[in-house]
Amino acid sequence: MLELVCGQSAGGSLKMAKNGADFAEDARDVLCPELALSVGNLRDFPPQTGRAEVLRGLYQAVRRQADCDAEAQAQRNRDVLEKLCAAAADGTPVRVWTAPAAEEWCLFLLAMYLLQNAGGPVSAVCVPLLQPRADGTLCALRSLGELSPEQWHTFLPLEQPVDPAQRRAWANLWNASLWQSAPLRVMLNGTLAGVPENFFDSLLWESLPPGKVFSAGEAVGCALSRLPGVPDGFLAGRLHRWTGQGKLRVRQPAEYYYETVLERTEL
């Protein structure tokens, strides 16, 4: 069985879980692409590109020499998509892990598109992002990458088969998403929606401490605690934009952008 999960953090955690006694399948069968499907135009999505250009833009917002990293990840993405297409053709069972977050849901829809005519069984596990703590309170996860290896097997009872008719229905939603020219996709009231690039600007701006200097990493980290599922490179790109507009001033540049010291010029 192939396991599909969004991102290397989630993939690494799931691989560790599968090395334990709770999973019978091989940990090498975990596919964990990072396609950044919640960012950028989806109209031009030839799978063979692995979204190299989008990844390059996100990576370059954080570090200058990002071309090699982006191309390496794009190649890993291409390998994953090829394996999914091969699984659809040869009948290999596929289990897709997802969650009600934009990045995970976009990957789920893409998987259903690629597997809509699969000859083998396809199933899905939708993990709630609100998880109970031992004291009875709830913890809000931002993505499946925050799950510990010990947690994965507890969600196996949520696994549901996805029959061909259902896969075709989800594939139609992916086809509809391809026509979204929005620069960002978010979950609004449980529905995937395209929004403008400044959609989160107010929350990001509120994360910047007025009247004192701060690092770009502090600003992005604070914003991520309030904005589940938004790629950090996207938020870093917004800080770059504000610097170019004069809303922020660079007090101390750094090779690694998150170490750059910034200051607000507007209150």
Side-chain angles (χ1 to χ4, degrees):
M1 170 182 282
L2 290 182
E3 308 265 11
L4 180 68
V5 68
C6 185
Q8 295 186 49
S9 294
S13 179
L14 180 54
K15 287 178 183 179
M16 291 179 65
K18 296 189 71 170
N19 282 326
D22 297 314
F23 284 85
E25 297 87 1
D26 196 322
R28 291 174 297 180
D29 293 332
V30 175
L31 307 179
C32 46
E34 290 192 355
L35 288 157
L37 294 173
S38 64
V39 176
N41 188 358
L42 289 180
R43 289 184 182 177
D44 302 316
F45 184 76
Q48 65 269 21
T49 68
R51 303 213 84 202
E53 288 301 317
V54 171
L55 293 172
R56 188 172 295 112
L58 293 173
Y59 292 178
Q60 287 177 344
V62 178
R63 51 191 181 275
R64 294 178 183 175
Q65 302 299 324
D67 288 355
C68 292
D69 292 340
E71 183 49 48
Q73 182 58 56
Q75 183 58 56
R76 288 191 289 269
N77 292 337
R78 290 190 285 267
D79 292 342
V80 166
L81 297 176
E82 288 178 3
K83 288 181 180 179
L84 280 179
C85 291
D90 64 21
T92 300
V94 180
R95 179 162 54 204
V96 183
W97 295 81
T98 189
E103 193 67 37
E104 276 89 353
W105 196 245
C106 284
L107 180 61
F108 172 80
L109 294 180
L110 173 60
M112 295 301 104
Y113 171 78
L114 295 176
L115 298 169
Q116 58 184 306
N117 297 315
V122 176
S123 62
V125 182
C126 187
V127 178
L129 290 180
L130 285 177
Q131 293 296 317
R133 293 192 177 100
D135 61 3
T137 61
L138 292 175
C139 172
L141 303 178
R142 290 187 293 269
S143 71
L144 298 186
E146 295 184 341
L147 291 178
S148 68
E150 295 75 24
Q151 289 178 285
W152 290 88
H153 79 279
T154 65
F155 301 111
L156 287 175
L158 300 178
E159 183 177 10
Q160 296 288 332
V162 188
D163 63 37
Q166 291 172 316
R167 295 200 298 269
R168 287 192 291 270
W170 293 124
N172 288 336
L173 288 181
W174 169 255
N175 286 327
S177 298
L178 288 178
W179 295 103
Q180 289 186 14
S181 59
L184 186 65
R185 273 159 292 283
V186 300
M187 296 296 285
L188 293 178
N189 297 321
T191 301
L192 189 67
V195 297
E197 63 181 353
N198 63 354
F199 185 76
F200 290 120
D201 277 8
S202 60
L203 287 173
L204 177 58
W205 186 256
E206 291 172 4
S207 301
L208 310 181
K212 65 176 183 179
V213 298
F214 54 89
S215 72
E218 290 174 330
V220 171
C222 182
L224 285 175
S225 68
R226 307 170 65 187
L227 301 172
V230 181
D232 64 307
F234 181 84
L235 297 176
R238 299 306 295 162
L239 297 182
H240 282 291
R241 175 71 63 87
W242 290 343
T243 300
Q245 294 173 343
K247 298 174 67 174
L248 296 178
R249 179 187 301 117
V250 175
R251 290 288 299 271
Q252 183 178 329
E255 182 69 22
Y256 181 55
Y257 182 64
Y258 285 161
E259 298 175 354
T260 297
V261 177
L262 302 168
E263 181 182 32
R264 285 168 56 159
T265 61
E266 298 181 8
L267 297 180

